[in-house]
Amino acid sequence: MIQASHPKSVDITAQQMIFKAELDKVETVWDRHAAMQPQCGFGETGLCCRVCWKGPCRIDPLGNGPKVGICGATADVIVARNLLRSFCVGASAHTEHARHIAHTLYELSQNNAPAYSIKDEAKLIDVAKRLKISTEDKEILDIAKEVAEVSMADFGKHHGEFAWLNAVLNPLRKEKLASLGILPHNLDSVVVNGLSRTHVGSESDPMNLLLAAARLAAADVSVMAMGTELSDVLFGTPMPSLTTANLSVLKKDAVNIALHGHNPLLCEIVCDVAATMQEEAKKLGAKEGINIVGVCCTGNEMMMRHGVPLAANYLSQELTMITGAVEAMVVDTQCIMPAVVETASHYHTQVISTMDDNKIFGATHVSFHPESAVEGAKQIVRLALEAYKRRNPDKVDIPNHVQQAMGGFSYEAITAVLKKLDNENPIKPLIDQIAGGNIQGVVLFGGCSNTKVVHDFNYVTMSRELIKRNVLVLATGCAAGALAKSGMQTSQATLDYAGDGLKAVLAALGDAAGTAGPLPPVLNMGSCVDNTRAVRLANDIAMTLGVDLDMLPVCVSAPELMSEKAQIIGTWAAVIGLPVHIGVVPHVTGSSLVTKFLTQDMEEVLGGKFIVELDPIEAANKLYGEIQKRRQKLGI
Ligand code: MSK
């Protein structure tokens, strides 16, 4: 198996801060991972059942221990039930994200959210049409109101059309899911139904639990599309722009504010407000004013729309503060380690939580609401300015390896470039290049970072291996962060790593886009909620060819995933017909039935499946093999 150059991270700025953490005697996620070894084998295999208080029960199907739980639940039932429960949590996180955005759009339409505006009217009209809302002779705020109402109705709808499902699934896939009885009818009750089925003494048919998981996944892809597309309406649809990434984006002579989490509602306004308070920072001696940087997917949101530098992805979040130069770590929701408070306590960093239903113990809480967003943002920036006065210059050490990265490749940005090649039928040039072999296929990298894998290693290794073989790479979430920090989102990466066919395509696209060189071989499509941007592009290709997604040479890879959100994203990718690689062993191996369904049987029913492969080179080989199988099926 190929080895990484460093035992914890291949991000060289992270390596530097891991070393500083040791000197500063600050514990990191890697220390806690080491302290946790060996991890529980029952949990690892999905066989620990904590559903009721007769338990916990630990099933031991291969050894001499019990073969069923106290209630009689088998290994298959326990594993399937645990999996469905995880997916419910992942889908709930996406649902709350989208609900928050839709609700803000509604408040805006009622003039109750003065900090917000419709930044992309064309996108609003496009969304309205796809939701089958007439836009003729209507004021823009009236259209916004209807779009928000139709979206919010999707959460609890019991009759009629599931509008966002129709907007994101192609008709062939809808038919397929309907024929299997797993077409969801709304968002909220699918989650509630999933949870109710896992109550003690409820469903004990593991296959039916897995079908419920597949139905939930189809609902999840719909709610993610809502979150992304309504964010574009409110904050603008991303277009390509150059920025920088890794811990070097922090500045010694600035008040550094790191925005972390997922929700663009907060970070957008903090950026706006900080721009008006630069002079206050300079008066405190911060010659470069206020420097906003991003962490995790809030970082991706800002990088995509405004070219804000990205400091860290999930696993390196603590390291931003270990630079000793972060005044405020402002967090909204999801993927925020509770440990950030302890890390901050070694420095002058103020951790500020902002959402009333996502408080962080030990953090200062500034309650953030769309109606009073500007006031909240000002309070946050003032806390950062106060913290700057407490900074200890002796503790500051910022890495100096600035890495350029190009973000902003939304669906609209990609199709805009393609339109320059064929205005009438923009998807045709892409299909021609795939059919001709210059692009062998497409792999979408998504997902997190995970201490079970050397940080960023699988992303960098796999993407280089695939690009070399003329596979175009798309990326979202912490995968996009890893590939930004490692230089894979630059023209130079195309020149250095792409195969000749892909290089020629990216050069032509770069000319069409007017970039200084070829487009990067990794197109950054945004945060982890933004995966449906890629689905829309894939649907366009499939519909033009008159086939479903299970025929396309398109795969998904989450080689360092960890979160429940990433688990369900991988699942919906398989449910819509794509092969999905994961680079960590999922907590299902205690059930041969569940393992076989996910890695084999699912393909026969849905066209997609999971491929578990821990070696990144071997994983790239397997995905390339899947691409070739699909090219053969298409006769290209
Ligand atoms: S932040 S879900 S660690 S991608 Fe979206 Fe990263 Fe995974 Fe969170």
Side-chain angles (χ1 to χ4, degrees):
M1 186 158 167
I2 182 170
Q3 293 295 321
S5 55
H6 185 277
K8 292 174 182 163
S9 176
V10 295
D11 170 347
I12 53 174
T13 65
Q15 291 170 8
Q16 210 173 312
M17 288 304 103
I18 291 167
F19 183 63
K20 181 171 186 282
E22 282 167 26
L23 296 179
D24 290 359
K25 300 197 173 12
V26 181
E27 190 180 78
T28 67
V29 69
W30 289 278
D31 300 317
R32 296 189 294 275
H33 176 87
M36 201 56 65
Q37 302 310 310
Q39 285 170 282
C40 171
F42 294 95
E44 290 264 24
T45 49
L47 289 170
C48 174
C49 183
R50 294 176 54 254
V51 159
C52 85
W53 287 2
K54 298 195 301 304
C57 291
R58 306 186 312 175
I59 305 296
D60 185 17
L62 301 176
N64 297 324
K67 300 288 176 277
V68 294
I70 295 169
C71 71
T74 62
D76 293 334
V77 171
I78 290 172
V79 170
R81 215 157 51 180
N82 285 341
L83 194 66
L84 180 54
R85 282 193 165 205
S86 292
F87 290 177
C88 285
V89 178
S92 302
H94 289 140
T95 298
E96 288 302 275
H97 179 123
R99 198 193 314 270
H100 206 168
I101 308 276
H103 180 71
T104 303
L105 183 65
Y106 179 79
E107 290 298 326
L108 182 160
S109 76
Q110 303 302 294
N111 297 314
N112 290 334
Y116 301 92
S117 59
I118 307 293
K119 291 265 170 57
D120 191 339
E121 293 189 2
K123 177 87 186 220
L124 176 64
I125 289 164
D126 172 53
V127 167
K129 286 184 180 152
R130 285 160 53 224
L131 297 179
K132 301 200 178 106
I133 296 167
S134 150
T135 57
E136 238 167 82
D137 300 327
K138 286 183 186 162
E139 297 291 326
I140 208 76
L141 280 187
D142 292 333
I143 299 171
K145 176 172 176 277
E146 277 192 62
V147 165
E149 283 176 339
V150 167
S151 299
M152 290 191 293
D154 266 357
F155 291 109
K157 190 176 276 172
H158 284 276
H159 309 285
E161 299 268 294
F162 184 169
W164 276 99
L165 182 96
N166 292 335
V168 75
L169 290 189
N170 73 54
L172 295 175
R173 189 52 35 172
K174 260 184 71 185
E175 261 172 48
K176 164 79 81 184
L177 299 187
S179 72
L180 295 167
I182 54 171
L183 199 62
H185 60 289
N186 75 22
L187 302 167
D188 288 342
S189 75
V190 181
V191 174
V192 174
N193 175 266
L195 288 171
S196 74
R197 289 159 87 140
T198 68
H199 189 271
V200 60
S202 296
E203 178 131 33
S204 64
D205 178 339
M207 268 316 299
N208 220 31
L209 286 162
L210 292 173
L211 288 174
R215 188 171 72 124
L216 178 62
D220 190 61
V221 68
S222 315
V223 79
M224 285 177 67
M226 184 199 299
T228 293
E229 305 221 25
L230 297 189
S231 294
D232 287 351
V233 169
L234 283 172
F235 307 117
T237 304
M239 289 291 149
S241 66
L242 259 185
T243 185
T244 48
N246 77 28
L247 295 166
S248 308
V249 302
L250 294 161
K251 292 181 180 168
K252 185 164 147 281
D253 292 322
V255 172
N256 291 298
I257 300 179
L259 299 178
H260 176 11
H262 283 79
N263 194 329
L265 288 170
L266 164 77
C267 63
E268 288 280 337
I269 308 302
V270 173
C271 279
D272 291 349
V273 165
T276 67
M277 294 172 74
Q278 294 289 354
E279 288 310 312
E280 289 185 45
K282 286 179 186 164
K283 275 187 205 146
L284 294 176
K287 284 182 271 182
E288 295 199 56
I290 298 169
N291 180 36
I292 304 273
V293 301
V295 176
C296 275
C297 283
T298 291
N300 285 321
E301 296 276 355
M302 292 190 299
M303 181 185 183
M304 287 288 283
R305 294 200 176 87
H306 308 297
V308 170
L310 180 82
N313 53 359
Y314 175 75
L315 225 46
S316 47
Q317 60 184 271
E318 297 161 296
L319 304 180
T320 57
M321 294 179 283
I322 288 166
T323 60
V326 172
E327 275 57 53
M329 171 69 94
V330 185
V331 304
D332 51 69
T333 182
Q334 299 164 17
C335 305
I336 299 139
M337 293 184 199
V340 291
V341 173
E342 162 61 19
T343 310
S345 72
H346 293 263
Y347 304 94
H348 67 299
T349 310
Q350 182 90 48
V351 179
I352 304 169
S353 58
T354 55
M355 293 181 65
D356 291 349
D357 54 1
N358 281 277
K359 291 191 178 177
I360 307 287
F361 185 73
T364 299
H365 188 66
V366 174
S367 190
F368 189 84
H369 298 282
E371 316 81 76
S372 55
V374 171
E375 292 73 22
K378 275 188 186 153
Q379 203 183 336
I380 287 166
V381 176
R382 292 236 156 79
L383 284 167
L385 295 175
E386 280 304 308
Y388 181 75
K389 296 178 193 165
R390 302 192 299 273
R391 185 195 279 189
N392 179 353
D394 295 340
K395 287 194 173 179
V396 175
D397 182 8
I398 302 171
N400 185 16
H401 300 278
V402 176
Q403 176 59 61
Q404 279 209 328
M406 188 182 283
F409 289 96
S410 59
Y411 165 87
E412 288 80 356
I414 294 172
T415 48
V417 176
L418 293 170
K419 266 187 188 162
K420 297 205 171 143
L421 302 176
D422 186 339
N423 193 35
E424 292 299 303
N425 188 0
I427 214 69
K428 186 171 176 295
L430 193 55
I431 292 175
D432 288 347
Q433 293 302 328
I434 293 172
N438 276 340
I439 300 176
Q440 288 289 312
V442 180
V443 171
L444 167 65
F445 280 93
C448 322
S449 34
N450 184 332
T451 42
K452 288 181 174 173
V453 178
V454 175
H455 177 222
D456 296 348
F457 177 60
N458 283 356
Y459 292 120
V460 177
T461 310
M462 285 184 70
S463 64
R464 287 184 186 164
E465 196 61 28
L466 289 163
I467 288 159
K468 188 171 79 186
R469 300 187 205 181
N470 297 312
V471 174
L472 178 65
V473 170
L474 310 175
T476 59
C478 290
L483 294 167
K485 292 185 291 152
S486 57
M488 296 305 291
Q489 290 167 18
T490 59
S491 298
Q492 192 59 43
T494 299
L495 300 174
D496 290 347
Y497 301 111
D500 288 343
L502 183 62
K503 205 180 277 178
V505 176
L506 293 169
L509 291 174
D511 282 347
T515 51
L519 288 192
V522 175
L523 303 182
N524 184 339
M525 298 195 95
S527 72
C528 55
V529 82
D530 292 336
N531 282 295
T532 56
R533 298 189 195 281
V535 175
R536 199 172 167 197
L537 200 60
N539 275 336
D540 280 2
I541 297 174
M543 291 299 95
T544 304
L545 295 174
V547 300
D548 196 357
L549 298 180
D550 56 1
M551 291 287 285
L552 297 190
V554 175
C555 300
V556 171
S557 176
E560 303 183 21
L561 94 168
M562 58 94 203
S563 77
E564 287 154 317
K565 286 185 299 163
Q567 293 166 30
I568 193 162
I569 292 170
T571 305
W572 66 241
V575 166
I576 63 174
L578 303 174
V580 179
H581 160 251
I582 53 179
V584 293
V585 179
H587 296 175
V588 302
T589 53
S591 163
S592 52
L593 181 144
V594 174
T595 305
K596 184 164 172 289
F597 177 79
L598 295 175
T599 57
Q600 295 176 37
D601 304 343
M602 192 176 186
E603 188 174 25
E604 276 165 43
V605 192
L606 288 157
K609 65 174 175 185
F610 283 96
I611 299 163
V612 182
E613 176 54 65
L614 273 50
D615 183 305
I617 297 286
E618 199 42 43
N621 289 339
K622 287 184 177 172
L623 290 183
Y624 191 74
E626 292 293 329
I627 284 170
Q628 295 310 318
K629 266 199 266 172
R630 287 171 170 234
R631 289 184 67 88
Q632 270 173 17
K633 272 205 283 180
L634 279 174
I636 55 176

